[in-house]
Amino acid sequence: MTLTAHADRLKNVPFRDILNARSHTPRLDAAGWSADISRHYLDREAESALFDLAREKDLPGALKHLFDGDMVNPSEGRPALHWALRAALPRSEEARSVRQSVIDAEDMAADIANGRKKGASGEAFRAIVHIGIGGSDFGPRLIADAFHDKRRQDMELRYCANLDPLDLELALDGLDPATTLVVGVSKSFGTEETLYNLGRARDWVKAGVGDGWAAHFALVTANPDRATAWLDGAEGLLLNLPESVGGRFSIWSAGSLACSIALEPRVMAEFRAGAEAMDRHVKLADIRSNLAIRLALLDVWNASFLGFGARALLAYSRRLKLLPAYLQQLEMESNGKSVGPDGIPVQMPTAPLLWGGEGTIGQHSYHQWLHQSPSMVPTEFILAPGATDDEEGVTGLTAHALAQAEVLANGRTLEEVRAEEPDLPLEIAAQKVHAGGRPSTFIYAPELTTFRLGSLIALFEHRTYLAGVLWGLNSFDQWGVERGKTMAGRLKPALNGEGKPQDAITASLINSIKR
Ligand code: F6P
């Protein structure tokens, strides 16, 4: 039986029946995390067909190609070596040079944090302003937000990504250029937003410290020629972001220099160690017990065979507040595609819309839609309290996450409403019915440590790559994004009064905006 036939069959089975049969589904454990995947439209036969798919698409082979440094990014003619950034003992020379870029960054971070590297006026740095966008921003921002309580007391950390001039103004507000280091991260060193903000930051530093301004810039890039030209003969700090590391896979790289400087010394090392532990799990575990493979299979099952066009990520952890935004780029920029590397269209829906937020906060907002809207999306719970020193808070957080998953799955029938609340008028009782049948994955850990943040993110990286393999996509390029950049470049002359755009609606909007 095909996967499509299994999906058609299971769609017509009451979800509660499916769950009864799956309540003993073994938990999956990996690098500090456990996952329960029993609440899905699956049974033994459908799951076994998914394992066949994993074998047919040779997921173990795909992982071997990744870790052997083979060219898994054919359109850009490169391997994907992000795993080497966290590998304690990389084997190939290329992987060792990738790892070296992190060691160089850590050395530089220590020099800056300890005041051995100083600003132009001889003062130690007391503030870091990180400038970058997309993969050169989400990662370090997530780590710093997650472990804000592990910040060095004497170091301020700010971020700027947006082309809206206000973003940099807010980032620089109240800072003294003499004690501020600007960390500019851009793999290409050609991204408009980053160059615009770096240019304005340079003016601000120059006005404050004069000639020695370049000592206030640490530039992390795969394009040192452009960065050197930007420094215009002055001597700034340069770090390597290897070509073989994609922006959205670069959280482990020198691009997180700001975190290495501003957070306590062990944070980044533990974070990378967690990722390395997940790499080991993913390399060694067989298909059935491999968490990344199982999640990738679920992604394809839910999106392509059951037709769920979205997935909600509900992070029950204050430290994971920025995780949904981070994963949106990782998953949607990687697999939001319709054509494979051979140029042939993929004949099925691919990566779903990923959205979500922080539990329990979302419960007072969009959870209403999750529970009772006619639309149905699978949800993914990640429960990992950020601190465990208050039992009441942890118990509450845990109870809420469990309750949400249970209600989404089981729903509440009219009979159940009436049995519990017999005095309700029928029209009110009817509104209290939950259809249920909403599948979910429950990923959990007793506490969100730096190690576990690393292993979680590495898990999602591998899952994304493996889902891309199942869909027949190259997860490491992003042609759709590139097009938007080109078009914005073409419209700027029209905004400056030169020429007219071809598109009539854009032309009329420009007229009206200029008025
Ligand atoms: O948004 C598109 C993108 O190309 C991302 O893939 C990348 O992370 C981001 O722009 C920033 O690119 P760069 O690091 O080259 O400035």
Side-chain angles (χ1 to χ4, degrees):
M1 198 187 263
T2 63
L3 280 163
T4 310
H6 280 298
D8 290 344
R9 178 175 62 77
L10 286 163
K11 270 186 228 166
N12 295 316
V13 178
F15 201 48
R16 287 192 191 201
D17 294 352
I18 292 179
L19 299 185
N20 284 338
R22 286 176 62 76
S23 59
H24 298 297
T25 306
R27 204 185 55 194
L28 296 162
D29 293 327
W33 291 93
S34 297
D36 178 273
I37 58 167
S38 50
R39 287 188 173 124
H40 283 279
Y41 283 91
L42 280 169
D43 61 8
R44 207 168 287 163
E45 292 73 33
E47 242 172 359
S48 138
L50 280 175
F51 295 145
D52 289 344
L53 178 71
R55 280 185 283 271
E56 191 191 306
K57 298 283 181 179
D58 192 16
L59 294 192
L63 285 167
K64 187 165 177 342
H65 285 310
L66 178 78
F67 287 110
D68 281 353
D70 294 342
M71 198 182 66
V72 293
N73 178 359
S75 65
E76 295 176 345
R78 292 177 198 145
L81 298 183
H82 47 279
W83 52 269
L85 296 164
R86 61 226 187 193
L89 295 168
R91 278 183 294 133
S92 75
E93 200 166 310
E94 199 178 1
R96 273 196 294 278
S97 97
V98 167
R99 174 69 193 157
Q100 187 58 44
S101 67
V102 174
I103 296 169
D104 293 345
E106 290 302 316
D107 289 347
M108 188 186 285
D111 283 351
I112 293 165
N114 297 335
R116 283 192 292 272
K117 268 201 174 24
K118 297 181 170 46
S121 54
E123 284 180 79
F125 293 113
R126 291 281 159 260
I128 312 292
V129 176
H130 174 108
I131 296 179
I133 197 165
S136 296
D137 169 69
F138 286 124
R141 206 187 272 260
L142 165 69
I143 302 170
D145 181 70
F147 294 102
H148 193 264
D149 51 342
K150 292 191 189 290
R151 249 202 19 230
R152 293 177 196 251
Q153 291 307 310
D154 55 353
M155 197 65 81
E156 176 80 28
L157 176 56
R158 309 264 182 95
Y159 283 85
C160 165
N162 202 323
L163 206 43
D164 183 334
L166 179 64
D167 206 24
L168 185 70
E169 278 160 35
L170 292 175
L172 299 181
D173 186 40
L175 298 184
D176 175 1
T179 53
T180 300
L181 177 78
V182 177
V183 175
V185 183
S186 176
K187 183 175 172 189
S188 58
F189 219 81
T191 301
E192 182 184 357
E193 294 90 333
T194 302
L195 292 182
Y196 167 75
N197 284 318
L198 275 176
R200 291 182 71 216
R202 180 175 50 192
D203 294 344
W204 178 78
V205 173
K206 272 185 181 175
V209 307
D211 280 349
W213 65 273
H216 292 252
F217 284 83
L219 304 177
V220 187
T221 183
N223 198 326
D225 290 348
R226 280 189 186 161
T228 308
W230 186 89
L231 286 165
D232 198 19
E235 207 169 316
L237 308 170
L238 278 190
L239 283 170
N240 179 26
L241 208 171
E243 239 354 312
S244 54
V245 173
R248 54 190 175 272
F249 295 84
S250 69
I251 189 169
W252 328 96
S253 74
S256 292
L257 177 74
C259 294
S260 303
I261 301 168
L263 301 179
E264 289 167 8
R266 293 292 308 152
V267 169
M268 291 305 290
E270 287 163 9
F271 174 65
R272 292 190 183 101
E276 201 193 12
M278 186 57 79
D279 292 343
R280 273 196 302 280
H281 163 80
V282 164
K283 270 193 255 187
L284 299 176
D286 63 13
I287 287 178
R288 279 172 186 270
S289 50
N290 192 310
L291 186 52
I293 291 185
R294 297 295 292 271
L295 293 177
L297 287 171
L298 272 177
D299 288 340
V300 172
W301 173 245
N302 281 327
S304 306
F305 293 97
L306 291 170
F308 293 124
R311 186 171 105 242
L313 187 105
L314 309 176
Y316 280 72
S317 175
R318 165 58 185 86
R319 294 196 193 275
L320 296 179
K321 186 185 177 77
L322 299 186
L323 187 69
Y326 177 86
L327 293 180
Q328 275 177 335
Q329 191 207 18
L330 179 62
E331 294 194 20
M332 291 163 76
E333 197 170 64
S334 297
N335 291 336
K337 298 168 187 168
S338 317
V339 175
D342 45 11
I344 296 172
V346 180
Q347 304 286 358
M348 54 171 79
T350 58
L353 159 72
L354 180 72
W355 64 276
E358 194 187 350
T360 64
I361 292 170
Q363 288 178 207
H364 302 273
S365 162
Y366 46 79
H367 280 230
Q368 166 61 38
W369 183 92
L370 287 173
H371 285 290
Q372 286 191 309
S373 151
S375 310
M376 198 193 279
V377 301
T379 48
E380 192 154 298
F381 289 84
I382 302 186
L383 169 68
T388 50
D389 50 7
D390 184 288
E391 207 177 312
E392 189 187 342
V394 173
T395 304
L397 191 73
T398 307
H400 276 285
L402 290 169
Q404 293 291 315
E406 190 182 309
V407 177
L408 285 167
N410 297 346
R412 193 180 181 209
T413 63
L414 185 60
E415 294 67 40
E416 286 167 342
V417 176
R418 301 203 85 184
E420 264 184 62
E421 301 175 83
D423 299 333
L424 279 184
L426 185 58
E427 70 276 15
I428 299 290
Q431 293 172 67
K432 290 196 166 196
V433 169
H434 288 231
R438 273 92 165 130
S440 65
T441 300
F442 203 93
I443 301 173
Y444 57 104
E447 186 177 358
L448 202 280
T449 58
T450 44
F451 180 94
R452 285 202 187 97
L453 180 64
S455 62
L456 183 72
I457 297 213
L459 171 67
F460 275 82
E461 285 183 349
H462 293 311
R463 162 196 197 161
T464 300
Y465 165 59
L466 292 167
V469 172
L470 290 169
W471 280 311
L473 298 169
N474 175 2
S475 302
F476 300 109
D477 59 15
Q478 57 281 320
W479 301 113
V481 170
E482 304 303 339
R483 178 69 180 159
K485 296 182 193 173
T486 311
M487 289 305 286
R490 286 188 194 163
L491 288 181
K492 271 194 211 158
L495 276 159
N496 291 328
E498 296 157 28
K500 197 174 158 227
Q502 280 177 354
D503 183 89
I505 298 175
T506 306
S508 134
L509 279 169
I510 287 182
N511 271 340
S512 139
I513 288 164
K514 284 176 69 183
R515 266 205 303 278

